[in-house]
Amino acid sequence: MAYGRLDVFFPDGIIKSFSLNDDNISIGRSPGNNIPLETDTISRYHMSFSRRDGETIITDLDSANGTFVDGARLNHNTPRILHGGEEILIGELILLYHDVDENPTRPVDVPEEQTRHIEAVEARFSVTVEAPELAISPGAHTAARVLVANQGEESQRYVIEISGVPKDWVRIDRPEVEVRPGETEDAMVSFKPLRRPESTPGEYAVRVLVRPKNQLEQQVSTEVPLHILAYSGFGMALESRKMRAGQPFRLHLHNQGSGPLTLSLSTREPNAIDGSGTLKFNIPTTQITLAPGQRTVLAGQPSLRRSRLTGGAEQHSYDLLVRSNDPSGFLVSTRAYFIDQPSLPRWGLFAVVGGLVAIAAFAAVLLLLVLTPPPAPEIQNFTAPAMIEQGQPLLVNWTACNANNITLQVNGTPAGTFNGDTTSASLNTGELEGAVNVVLVAGNGRATAIATAVVYVDAPFTVANFMVAPQPLMLYVEQPITVSWNVPNATSVRLVASDDVIGPIDLSSQGEQTFTAIIHNPNLTLQIMAANAAGETVQSLLTAQTVSPICLTAEQTLVYDAPGTTANVISTVPGGQQIIVSARDAMGTWLRAELVGSVHGWVQRIGLECSPNFSPDDLIVDANAPLPPTATSTPTPVIATPTIGNFALTATMMARSRTPVAVTPQITATPTRAELNEPPAPVGSLLEQAAPTPTFAG
């Protein structure tokens, strides 16, 4: 049975996974390992995994380049316990260890002091979220426990939804739970951010929303902070391992981590002692910073320190070393070869001796040549790509003679100075856009030569800005809504809002516009859709935050089924309670209050203290509000004369009176059962017959 899994990330993008089943597993480049990895950047037997007493242990087997766990180098032959989610670096490979229990489906006991309890309560159910400190690296996992308590009188099925992070990071073992009255059910939510450069590190506000399946208007939501850590890693590949004189090496680099990474390039000759190698290197750029997922190419020119005139071809080996400038200081090297082929064969030495005799004959001529001023610089070749994507390195190449120094200018601004032997350079295009003029200036102190190239830097088509203000927006009131946007290079922009609150309306590529609207839907969304001249399209969706108008009762408040005191009382609200108001009557003296579920009633505005962030006068007018019944000035008495023994009992009460009327028994001398009607209904306060007092959630 496997106790873990090992994912191996190769520089060329290939990913391989290995199950860890045996108690002792060796890893290295030798075929004799349990897991052989084909790369010359690791040792033959590099490291091992072992299983002891239910724990997974990693050990470095005295490797040459070392083993790094989460950026820290392991001591040779010193065991370290793994818990799952660790990043392991060996050579140019990135490995990720996963424990078998990386996706728990049931709650895991967590010590109380390490657990966050977040509780939210609605009228008929409550939600509690228990989670450890949620700080993980991409590829690792953590979990939170959601408990739903049914405080109602009937069984209910609840839906659990998670937002605030990409959907492919989240798995819920029970998206729906059925809870009986007075009981609690739980669900486990697993978070596992993908190990990709686009898994941006930082704080994420994870929103946990729970609602009854058949009652969309009742819901409880709370937020859990999730901290995503950055991870690092890079890949490198040499375009060609063998180069002749005049041929530059081209080293491809790729930031495979989720944060910016600075890389440094250096060279080394295997047999050189104290820098006394046979080669010298001209590398224009030895350090570069790459954004997450960015690729680039570093170029350099190897050459001999002392050139040979005659002889056969010789091969000189050297290493290109790339080190990450982060706390891990991870170092990767690759071997390359410089082929030296002299222009003359071995017998050419004799020709050289004969040539010396001829040179002596022309000594006077040579003296005159020495005294002659040096020729003017000449740029024989200058090349650059016609088009490049913004953010990609711009590689320019040139061939110049009679030059002591080379200067590059981009749109008139100096971009680098090099010696006369340099033949290429890499330029940063992160802040360039459109047609860019690249100028090469070659000089020798007496004269200069100039060459120009035009490169078009293509900026990505995207929505740079899309905002709505104010935040949050108030429901049910007439208010100004300001939308601002910026879609560079767009030829058409269209704004669409849900429920037709705004638009659809056509806009310019950027600007700001204010609309007056009334929002009824708490889930208001706005969408920008744009296109450019090339036919590319882009869109951005924005969900506006909304809040409900809230008023506070100063004392016990009656709730009527119509805006008037002659209407029926359907509920009461205790003093000091919050109520949501969603409309007013035409006179503005009555406000419509939202009760439990879809039930609503009417309360008098007098005696309410409303939130200062809205005015009740701005509430929408409910033109369909029911009319209260007309008060009766002379109620018709209803008389019932029951017979009790030899007496007749007469009870008098006001018909449908809202005020309790005292009952006065009257005794007559001639009781008659025939005169007895149905007994009158018990008289009491109609407030006792109204609906139960609701509890309002703040």
Side-chain angles (χ1 to χ4, degrees):
M1 179 178 178
Y3 57 84
R5 188 182 83 245
L6 194 65
D7 294 337
V8 182
F9 299 80
F10 290 82
D12 55 4
I14 296 177
I15 302 175
K16 294 184 178 180
S17 296
F18 301 91
S19 295
L20 305 181
N21 302 300
D22 299 334
D23 290 340
N24 293 284
I25 297 176
S26 62
I27 299 175
R29 74 170 188 268
S30 172
N33 288 278
N34 301 93
I35 301 179
L37 301 175
E38 298 180 0
T39 173
D40 56 3
T41 61
I42 64 175
S43 300
R44 295 180 66 250
Y45 292 90
H46 196 102
M47 66 177 185
S48 69
F49 284 88
S50 59
R51 190 71 172 175
R52 304 175 189 170
D53 300 327
E55 295 181 330
T56 303
I57 299 173
I58 183 174
T59 306
D60 179 79
L61 302 178
D62 199 15
S63 62
N65 292 331
T67 301
F68 298 80
V69 177
D70 288 337
R73 182 165 184 165
L74 300 182
N75 295 327
H76 296 318
N77 301 312
T78 301
R80 170 171 169 169
I81 298 175
L82 299 178
H83 302 284
E86 288 87 354
E87 179 184 83
I88 305 169
L89 302 179
I90 56 172
E92 62 181 5
L93 303 180
I94 300 175
L95 296 79
L96 194 65
Y97 170 72
H98 302 271
D99 192 75
V100 289
D101 192 25
E102 63 171 309
N103 287 316
T105 57
R106 299 306 311 137
V108 179
D109 291 334
V110 182
E112 181 69 24
E113 61 271 12
Q114 300 179 4
T115 304
R116 298 173 61 93
H117 290 268
I118 302 175
E119 183 174 0
V121 181
E122 217 277 349
R124 298 185 182 274
F125 68 99
S126 65
V127 177
T128 302
V129 179
E130 298 179 355
E133 292 295 335
L134 302 181
I136 53 175
S137 298
H141 81 278
T142 189
R145 184 185 183 192
V146 180
L147 299 99
V148 183
N150 185 355
Q151 300 170 348
E153 299 178 353
E154 298 180 355
S155 293
Q156 183 63 264
R157 196 165 189 86
Y158 298 93
V159 178
I160 302 175
E161 299 176 350
I162 305 296
S163 61
V165 292
K167 292 184 178 180
D168 50 4
W169 290 12
V170 182
R171 185 172 69 85
I172 309 175
D173 68 336
R174 300 173 69 190
E176 294 186 11
V177 294
E178 185 169 356
V179 188
R180 295 179 178 179
E183 296 186 1
T184 300
E185 294 290 339
D186 62 357
M188 179 62 71
V189 182
S190 296
F191 300 96
K192 182 181 178 183
L194 300 181
R195 192 175 181 83
R196 296 176 180 172
E198 54 267 27
S199 295
T200 306
E203 289 284 348
Y204 291 77
V206 179
R207 186 184 183 198
V208 180
L209 186 145
V210 180
R211 59 176 174 82
K213 185 174 183 180
N214 299 323
Q215 300 178 15
L216 301 181
E217 68 281 355
Q218 294 186 20
Q219 62 182 28
V220 168
S221 67
T222 185
E223 288 188 354
V224 178
L226 176 64
H227 183 67
I228 303 301
L229 304 174
Y231 75 94
S232 63
F234 68 92
M236 57 179 285
L238 196 59
E239 196 169 283
S240 176
R241 292 188 178 272
K242 294 185 178 182
M243 285 138 283
R244 297 184 177 273
Q247 294 180 335
F249 65 78
R250 291 174 55 84
L251 184 65
H252 293 256
L253 300 175
H254 179 203
N255 181 5
Q256 299 172 340
S258 61
L261 181 64
T262 301
L263 301 176
S264 297
L265 172 65
S266 60
T267 60
R268 177 184 64 190
E269 292 185 62
N271 300 322
I273 300 177
D274 298 331
S276 60
T278 59
L279 300 176
K280 61 180 180 179
F281 300 89
N282 180 18
I283 305 176
T285 303
T286 60
Q287 183 169 296
I288 189 171
T289 300
L290 301 180
Q294 183 180 351
R295 301 175 184 267
T296 191
V297 177
L298 290 182
Q301 182 72 57
S303 61
L304 287 176
R305 293 182 180 271
R306 299 181 180 85
S307 60
R308 296 185 302 145
L309 183 62
T310 64
E314 292 183 358
Q315 178 174 283
H316 302 271
S317 62
Y318 62 93
D319 295 327
L320 295 174
L321 298 92
V322 177
R323 182 184 299 274
S324 62
N325 295 352
D326 59 2
S328 69
F330 188 61
L331 180 67
V332 179
S333 66
T334 185
R335 179 62 56 86
Y337 304 93
F338 176 77
I339 309 300
D340 175 35
Q341 178 64 62
S343 57
L344 295 177
R346 295 185 182 277
W347 53 264
L349 180 61
F350 299 100
V352 171
V353 174
L356 292 176
V357 177
I359 293 174
F362 295 98
V365 177
L366 294 176
L367 182 60
L368 293 175
L369 293 175
V370 172
L371 298 177
T372 303
E378 179 183 357
I379 300 175
Q380 300 169 334
N381 182 39
F382 181 42
T383 60
M387 178 179 291
I388 192 172
E389 184 177 345
Q390 187 182 57
Q392 294 297 316
L394 172 58
L395 185 65
V396 293
N397 298 277
W398 65 85
T399 303
C401 60
N402 305 324
N404 296 331
N405 57 80
I406 302 293
T407 301
L408 279 175
Q409 299 178 358
V410 176
N411 288 339
T413 302
T417 301
F418 314 94
N419 59 44
D421 297 331
T422 306
T423 59
S424 65
S426 179
L427 303 177
N428 185 8
T429 63
E431 298 182 357
L432 301 178
E433 183 177 350
V436 176
N437 291 320
V438 183
V439 179
L440 176 72
V441 181
N444 62 3
R446 294 191 177 185
T448 58
I450 299 176
T452 304
V454 178
V455 179
Y456 186 83
V457 179
D458 186 18
F461 184 49
T462 184
V463 177
N465 177 54
F466 183 27
M467 299 178 62
V468 63
Q471 288 275 28
L473 298 171
M474 184 68 64
L475 294 173
Y476 315 127
V477 300
E478 185 174 0
Q479 61 194 310
I481 302 176
T482 300
V483 179
S484 58
W485 67 94
N486 182 16
V487 189
N489 302 322
T491 57
S492 65
V493 177
R494 191 168 180 81
L495 173 67
V496 178
S498 61
D499 300 336
D500 292 331
V501 173
I502 303 173
I505 185 172
D506 294 324
L507 308 170
S508 59
S509 61
Q510 71 176 83
E512 180 178 293
Q513 193 163 347
T514 300
F515 308 86
T516 300
I518 299 175
I519 303 173
H520 300 270
N521 188 350
N523 299 315
L524 174 64
T525 59
L526 299 94
Q527 185 177 28
I528 281 282
M529 297 176 290
N532 61 9
E536 297 178 297
T537 60
V538 67
Q539 61 181 357
S540 179
L541 189 66
L542 176 64
T543 300
Q545 299 180 10
T546 58
V547 295
S548 299
I550 298 293
C551 292
L552 184 69
T553 60
E555 55 187 14
Q556 180 168 285
T557 301
L558 299 179
V559 183
Y560 298 86
D561 63 359
T565 56
T566 60
N568 291 323
V569 176
I570 62 174
S571 183
T572 60
V573 181
Q577 295 292 319
Q578 292 182 346
I579 58 175
I580 298 175
V581 292
S582 59
R584 64 181 178 87
D585 67 344
M587 299 299 293
T589 58
W590 288 81
L591 304 182
R592 188 175 66 192
E594 299 300 319
L595 306 181
V596 178
S598 59
V599 179
H600 58 261
W602 292 85
V603 297
Q604 294 190 70
R605 179 174 173 179
I606 297 177
L608 298 180
E609 181 180 351
C610 295
S611 174
N613 58 355
F614 86 102
S615 172
D617 293 330
D618 295 333
L619 287 170
I620 59 176
V621 176
D622 187 352
N624 298 320
L627 296 177
T630 302
T632 303
S633 58
T634 51
T636 303
V638 177
I639 300 176
T641 309
T643 300
I644 303 177
N646 296 323
F647 302 96
L649 181 65
T650 302
T652 304
M653 61 180 292
M654 302 296 291
R656 297 188 56 81
S657 172
R658 307 195 57 78
T659 304
V661 178
V663 179
T664 304
Q666 299 178 356
I667 301 176
T668 64
T670 56
T672 306
R673 288 185 179 274
E675 298 177 356
L676 180 63
N677 296 323
E678 291 186 3
V683 179
S685 173
L686 290 180
L687 297 179
E688 299 175 359
Q689 304 176 26
T693 301
T695 300
F696 291 85

